[in-house]
Amino acid sequence: MTAGPGGGRLAPLALPGPVAPTWDHAEVVGHHPVGDRYHRMRLKAPTIAAAARAGQFVMVTIPDATGTRAVLPRPMAIHRRLPGEGCVDIVYGVQGAGTRAMTGTGIGTRVQIVGPLGVGFALSPDTTGLLLVGRGIGVCSVTTSAEDAVRAGVEVTAVVSGRGPDALVGSGDHRELGVRRLIEVTDRDGSSAPDALAARLRRTLDAAPPQQIFTCGSERLAEMCARLADRWGARVQVSLEAHMACGLGYCHGCATAARTAADESPLICADGPVFELRPAERAHG
Ligand SMILES: Cc1cc2nc3c(=O)[nH]c(=O)nc-3n(C[C@H](O)[C@H](O)[C@H](O)COP(=O)(O)OP(=O)(O)OC[C@H]3O[C@@H](n4cnc5c(N)ncnc54)[C@H](O)[C@@H]3O)c2cc1C
Ligand code: FES
């Protein structure tokens, strides 16, 4: 167990055995800019589209065709699964050389992707209300949970947070997936500040609080989720980011700093990226 946002403790989720990852030379069948800072890529990857569970990710090798020889693949959340079309969607922001090169990937290019990887979000069978809180590109990690929860008849409230209206990711996806309560907040009008957002969520959800909260993309919002969970008696799961060289549990480059009874630090790629966030006072219980 390791320290998490708000002094809470992170614990690996106990889930059924992981789906064996596979790889695809996936054809790019869609690729376009989203808002003022992101790009959306649709990849033909039937095996991964059929197997991916909520909150999992893929490792994307930057194609040689971009002219960039990037040795290590890049982790990207599976934002949408479209098994009927045999496709997955990823949405990415330009961070460095790899993601900048990705913007030059043309339709028809084949991209090597490995997945589905990692332990994703676990929706409990007794959950009737779910709060999703995503910030920036972090929204992409929770969209698949919105899909599963709506399908299971769970009442979903989704918060989409970004710097400004053009930096909001995934609002259209949430609507398309049937999320009826969507809360968009931005830094520009101050509505994304954790205190303001928490007050709004208390007003909206105190009467019928969610049993589970899933979050990704902001430590401050994860802390806010932990505080709301204390108030509501809810459980929180958080998806974490780390630099990943392999994404497969081999290199140990993504190990958290924590030591456990087994003397092994949890790996964010293989034990996560989703962890349960437990309140500090219950960390040893
Ligand atoms: C589980 C997971 C899911 C992710 N999902 C998304 C997503 O859906 N959309 C998105 O835009 N980004 C996502 N990221 C972050 C994304 O992987 C990095 O932004 C990307 O690897 C940066 O590559 P680069 O070559 O542009 O940057 P550079 O800084 O040039 O990368 C150099 C090296 O550092 C690694 N690296 C740099 N920043 C990060 C980071 N924040 N996280 C992990 N590795 C990093 C790269 O893999 C690469 O090996 C995710 C990260 C993780 C761990
Ligand atoms: S990235 Fe290699 S072990 Fe996690």
Side-chain angles (χ1 to χ4, degrees), residues 4-56:
R9 294 288 182 271
L10 300 173
L13 294 168
L15 285 182
V19 179
T22 182
W23 59 271
D24 269 314
H25 274 130
E27 184 183 348
V28 177
V29 295
H31 196 190
H32 59 85
V34 177
D36 63 354
R37 46 192 293 127
Y38 301 118
H39 302 261
R40 184 172 186 138
M41 186 181 274
R42 178 160 296 180
L43 293 154
K44 190 99 180 162
T47 332
I48 294 172
R53 293 183 187 153
Q56 289 192 296

Side-chain angles (χ1 to χ4, degrees), residues 57 59 242-255 267-270:
F57 66 99
M59 293 297 284
H243 288 227
M244 289 183 182
C246 73
L248 295 164
Y250 297 140
C251 72
H252 285 229
C254 68
L267 300 175
I268 290 182
C269 72

